[in-house]
Amino acid sequence: MNTIKNKLFFTCDYMEGAHPDIIKRLVETNMTQSVGYGLDDFSESARNKIRTACNTPEADVFFLVGGTQTNATIIGAILRPYQGVISAETGHISVHEAGAIEYGGHKVLVLPHHNGKINADEILKCIESYRQDGNCEHMVMPRLVYISQPTEYGTLYSKSELKKISEVCRENQIPLYLDGARLAYALACPENDVTLSDIAKYCDAFYIGGTKCGALFGEAVVIPRHNWIPHLFSIIKQNGALLAKGRILGIQFDMLFTDDLYYKIGTTAIEAADVIRKELQKKGYKFAFSSPTNQIFIILDKAKAASLSEKVEMGFWQNLDNDRTVMRIATSWATKKEEVVKLIEIL
């Protein structure tokens, strides 16, 4: 059971190391010599499997270590110095990346969120507002749209919503970038109707999350159109994001995209979250908002939150008022049935 000193941990979806198949393969290949920087055969095999899964035979695929590093590198590579990126006010790049995008010289232009999502109409309004402003040359130009699947609220963009956002972006020559840090959990959710092929069709760049989805670490950046970002390899290097022992990333994604492992581990998390969600409803808990994926947000009075924290670690989300707080329960690829049973007993 995933406990430390008899305490349960549902804090986040990267508490454990990596899926056993990945560890096994890393051990098997440990003494194999290979070239560096992701130019090895393992990484090329992973790229080809990802291209097949995304139905993008000409795509460029790069492996980076972590999500913030990936977002900062790719957003910085797309934008010119005077341009900014549109995001939901709750977007990861806006709230939980310590100003990494701004540190790179690009303003995050926030829009109101709707359960973590932004919509095509408001994106268009933002773009047109800039273009119609007589002082636009003195302002930050909106030049990229950032979304994530799932969102920070664990909610999902439908295929229809993604298509509409893409249409607005392409009609206005604004690239669309999707953060897929938890993409395995979106793909496995029964309410989801967006495939990897859809993402590749409607987005100009995106990444497939590994760190939160069964890998020790790592994210796979997919650029559907070959050479859409020229010299990206050099840009990744310049940003200190190029792993010398790149085969460690390649091996992990090669395993994640073998025998549908990426989809299977997402299902484990979703099924566990569904059980917890149903039991919470039976027990009369209130949800801060509805989320169909692996994150559950519950409202607790602070005394109850403090009492529960002695037995189970949850993630703090926000204070609603002086008496109530929102806490997050996150399941993962590694969540065990006995942990779910124990959590329900405690709650």
Side-chain angles (χ1 to χ4, degrees):
M1 189 178 293
N2 181 21
T3 60
I4 300 175
K5 294 182 180 180
N6 298 318
K7 195 172 187 180
L8 281 172
F9 282 79
F10 282 83
T11 317
C12 63
D13 35 25
Y14 46 96
M15 296 286 292
E16 296 82 7
H19 191 278
D21 288 358
I22 289 176
I23 297 296
K24 180 182 177 183
R25 187 61 176 152
L26 287 170
V27 172
E28 289 173 349
T29 59
N30 188 52
M31 298 305 293
T32 302
Q33 293 181 326
S34 65
V35 296
Y37 307 112
L39 303 177
D40 57 280
D41 291 340
F42 302 112
S43 296
E44 189 58 26
S45 174
R47 289 189 189 96
N48 286 330
K49 289 177 181 179
I50 289 171
R51 290 179 182 122
T52 298
C54 297
N55 194 29
T56 52
E58 302 300 320
D60 294 328
V61 181
F62 296 88
F63 301 111
L64 285 79
V65 173
T68 298
Q69 178 195 59
T70 299
N71 286 333
T73 300
I74 301 304
I75 290 172
I78 294 172
L79 297 178
R80 297 295 302 276
Y82 50 87
Q83 296 171 338
V85 52
I86 296 171
S87 165
E89 59 188 338
T90 52
H92 201 67
I93 61 170
S94 175
V95 181
H96 291 134
E97 290 192 338
I101 307 306
E102 288 89 344
Y103 183 77
H106 300 288
K107 186 178 180 65
V108 179
L109 305 165
V110 297
L111 295 181
H113 78 99
H114 308 279
N115 286 330
K117 298 188 286 185
I118 52 178
N119 63 52
D121 290 341
E122 290 173 344
I123 292 170
L124 180 59
K125 183 178 179 181
C126 176
I127 296 168
E128 290 181 338
S129 177
Y130 168 83
R131 291 175 176 171
Q132 293 168 6
D133 195 305
N135 293 310
C136 66
E137 293 292 343
H138 299 267
M139 300 162 61
V140 175
M141 176 191 294
R143 182 57 182 151
L144 177 66
V145 173
Y146 165 96
I147 60 175
S148 64
Q149 181 81 337
T151 69
E152 288 296 281
Y153 279 38
T155 51
L156 295 168
Y157 284 93
S158 67
K159 183 176 177 178
S160 173
E161 289 171 324
L162 181 61
K163 183 175 183 288
K164 288 178 182 177
I165 290 173
S166 178
E167 287 172 348
V168 165
C169 288
R170 290 179 177 172
E171 286 170 3
N172 290 275
Q173 298 182 323
I174 303 286
L176 176 59
Y177 170 61
L178 184 143
D179 177 330
R182 293 186 169 95
L183 192 52
Y185 308 126
L187 295 173
C189 182
E191 292 189 21
N192 173 60
D193 68 348
V194 175
T195 66
L196 275 173
S197 294
D198 293 328
I199 293 171
K201 178 180 179 180
Y202 294 121
C203 297
D204 297 284
F206 63 97
Y207 80 85
I208 299 168
T211 301
K212 297 176 180 177
C213 303
L216 284 171
F217 54 84
E219 327 297 336
V221 173
V222 181
I223 313 294
R225 286 178 285 164
H226 173 60
N227 208 35
W228 182 68
I229 303 179
H231 311 294
L232 184 54
F233 182 95
S234 299
I235 294 170
I236 292 170
K237 175 82 171 183
Q238 188 180 61
N239 280 270
L242 186 64
L243 187 65
K245 295 183 180 179
R247 64 99 173 271
I248 296 175
L249 289 166
I251 288 168
Q252 294 186 83
F253 277 94
D254 193 51
M255 292 308 301
L256 286 172
F257 280 84
T258 297
D259 297 329
D260 293 329
L261 181 61
Y262 197 71
Y263 302 94
K264 291 174 183 175
I265 61 178
T267 299
T268 298
I270 296 300
E271 289 178 347
D274 284 344
V275 171
I276 295 168
R277 201 175 283 113
K278 289 175 183 176
E279 291 299 323
L280 287 170
Q281 289 174 332
K282 289 180 183 178
K283 292 174 181 285
Y285 281 86
K286 302 297 182 183
F287 298 95
F289 37 82
S290 177
S291 166
T293 55
N294 71 313
Q295 300 181 85
I296 305 166
F297 301 85
I298 56 174
I299 300 172
L300 299 172
D301 64 63
K302 294 188 176 180
K304 178 72 169 178
S307 174
L308 287 174
S309 69
E310 296 177 4
K311 296 180 179 180
V312 56
E313 191 79 17
M314 294 178 281
F316 169 79
W317 193 251
Q318 69 180 93
N319 287 315
L320 282 183
D321 50 42
N322 291 334
D323 301 314
R324 298 177 303 159
T325 187
V326 177
M327 301 297 288
R328 183 186 70 174
I329 296 171
T331 60
S332 79
W333 60 272
T335 302
K336 299 178 178 66
K337 290 182 180 180
E338 55 265 36
E339 292 174 329
V340 172
V341 170
K342 184 63 177 176
L343 174 65
I344 291 168
E345 289 176 355
I346 293 171
L347 294 173

